[in-house]
Amino acid sequence: MKRIVVLLAFALTSCSYFEKQVPNEQELLQKELKAINWNQVDEYPSIAECEKLTDATQRKQCFFEFLSSTIQQKLDTDTLSVLYPELDTIEVKITVNPDATLVFEPQFPQDSTAYDKEKIDSILRVRLTDLPKINPAIKRGIPVKTQFILPVIIRGE
């Protein structure tokens, strides 16, 4: 009888050794949020031609080269070089939204009054409309908004 009582007591107390603490949901969430680098994306924006590349660095370079050359080609046919012959490079802030829409904003020095900012902005908006589909950046499997500044060389004729 003593043995049964001892075995029963042992069985009841040993079950507590197998119990696992269920982690707190909020603690897990906070830990995961701290582990995420919010300043980097898992995949940069891309176009179909660059999707074939498997190396992330090559894909990124392919995308930026494509975008830079396409913008330069579209602005070559315009009057920017005629209106502003001293302007050889313009920095354009490009926003790629999660829905794959693009926003182009010319960037000028704060004290710049030499350029008609509205006119340059208008030319960019008109010329940079029919670009191929750009896939947005991906962060943890979700399309996200990305912004970057791209220097665009204005070619004079």
Side-chain angles (χ1 to χ4, degrees), residues 8-141:
L8 186 59
F10 177 72
L12 291 175
T13 58
S14 66
C15 289
S16 64
Y17 291 113
F18 297 111
E19 287 181 21
K20 292 185 179 180
Q21 283 289 336
V22 177
N24 183 330
E25 184 177 321
Q26 286 302 319
E27 287 176 15
L28 284 176
L29 176 63
Q30 292 306 316
K31 183 178 179 181
E32 188 67 22
L33 288 174
K34 287 179 184 175
I36 296 172
N37 182 349
W38 294 104
N39 295 321
Q40 290 184 336
V41 293
D42 299 333
E43 293 179 33
Y44 281 89
S46 188
I47 57 168
E49 290 80 28
C50 298
E51 295 284 327
K52 299 170 188 165
L53 300 171
T54 55
D55 182 57
T57 305
Q58 289 178 342
R59 282 175 105 181
K60 177 183 172 183
Q61 182 178 354
C62 173
F63 172 71
F64 283 115
E65 286 175 0
F66 163 79
L67 202 54
S68 181
S69 66
T70 302
I71 292 171
Q72 287 172 359
Q73 287 172 2
K74 290 183 173 285
L75 294 180
D76 275 350
T77 61
D78 217 318
T79 58
L80 276 180
S81 59
V82 174
L83 289 172
Y84 305 104
E86 71 284 355
L87 184 65
D88 62 348
T89 303
I90 185 169
E91 289 189 342
V92 180
K93 180 170 144 184
I94 302 171
T95 304
V96 181
N97 292 308
D99 62 359
T101 58
L102 298 172
V103 178
F104 298 96
E105 300 173 59
Q107 301 294 293
F108 300 101
Q110 291 292 339
D111 59 348
S112 174
T113 58
Y115 310 113
D116 184 348
K117 296 175 184 180
E118 286 79 27
K119 184 175 262 187
I120 293 174
D121 187 49
S122 173
I123 291 170
L124 285 176
R125 288 179 197 272
V126 169
R127 290 291 179 192
L128 303 178
T129 54
D130 59 342
L131 292 172
K133 183 180 186 295
I134 293 181
N135 301 318
I138 303 293
K139 181 71 175 179
R140 302 188 56 96

Side-chain angles (χ1 to χ4, degrees), residues 132-150:
K133 183 180 186 295
I134 293 181
N135 301 318
I138 303 293
K139 181 71 175 179
R140 302 188 56 96
I142 300 171
V144 293
K145 173 181 170 179
T146 50
Q147 291 182 321
F148 47 89
I149 296 178
L150 186 67

